[in-house]
Amino acid sequence: MSQSGATVSQECITAFNELKLNKKYKYIIYKLSDDFKEIVVEEASDDKEWDSFREKLINATTKNKNSQGATGKGPRYAIYDFEYSLASGDGIRNKITFLAWSPDDAGIQPKMIYASSKEALKRSLTGIAVELQANDSDDIEYDSILKTVSKGLAA
């Protein structure tokens, strides 16, 4: 259990293992349940199109706990299985990347709960190679993330 009290659902671990071991998914987007008590899978997809993944993060919304059903920009956690070719011609590499998406214009309460729940999720997922924090749409441009994930070695 995290400091915020949010627990990680078994579904989160199962989906991650299917991505990591069976290559069933290209990415998984996790969110906090509407009552902020559990981390759940919002979507697991085999869609290899980065832009559609990025749009889902940018357009994510979350309910505000205290406002009666009001929604605003929402933080998310995501796992993305990056695959890239080395510029040296030494083959293809995979890096399972953990992305903590917390847009600057999201509500303060959701951002705090996401920040305090992140470690619980990360501890549950064995095999994360890279962790990134993103706070605006420029932070999740494919080329800049690829450069970070590949340490500049991608073709």
Side-chain angles (χ1 to χ4, degrees), residues 82-84 141-151 154-155:
F82 263 95
E83 187 175 284
Y84 58 91
E141 290 289 345
Y142 181 81
D143 290 340
S144 63
I145 290 193
L146 181 61
K147 189 180 289 181
T148 303
V149 168
S150 70
K151 297 185 172 79

Side-chain angles (χ1 to χ4, degrees), residues 4-131:
S4 70
T7 58
V8 178
S9 77
Q10 183 58 45
E11 171 193 30
C12 294
I13 299 163
T14 302
F16 176 78
N17 287 332
E18 288 179 346
L19 175 145
K20 180 175 81 170
L21 303 173
N22 303 334
K23 302 292 183 201
K24 183 175 178 181
Y25 305 119
K26 184 68 176 169
Y27 66 82
I28 305 165
I29 298 174
Y30 300 101
K31 70 173 200 159
L32 282 166
S33 57
D34 289 343
D35 63 3
F36 293 98
K37 299 233 184 303
E38 187 174 37
I39 300 168
V40 297
V41 172
E42 181 173 51
E43 180 178 353
S45 174
D46 61 359
D47 182 355
K48 292 177 174 38
E49 198 56 51
W50 174 264
D51 288 336
S52 63
F53 165 74
R54 185 174 175 271
E55 285 299 310
K56 287 177 181 167
L57 290 180
I58 290 170
N59 295 322
T61 59
T62 193
K63 284 188 170 58
N64 194 323
K65 204 172 180 181
N66 298 329
S67 309
Q68 306 307 323
T71 59
K73 291 282 189 188
R76 290 294 184 272
Y77 311 113
I79 293 288
Y80 196 92
D81 188 2
F82 263 95
E83 187 175 284
Y84 58 91
S85 298
L86 292 173
S88 63
D90 289 338
I92 294 174
R93 298 288 187 268
N94 276 71
K95 290 268 169 84
I96 295 177
T97 304
F98 181 91
L99 187 64
W101 169 247
S102 187
D104 290 330
D105 52 356
I108 290 181
Q109 186 183 27
K111 284 169 57 167
M112 288 173 49
I113 295 170
Y114 270 83
S116 63
S117 301
K118 181 174 82 170
E119 288 305 315
L121 178 60
K122 279 180 37 198
R123 275 195 307 274
S124 302
L125 309 177
T126 307
I128 295 170
V130 179
E131 178 189 344

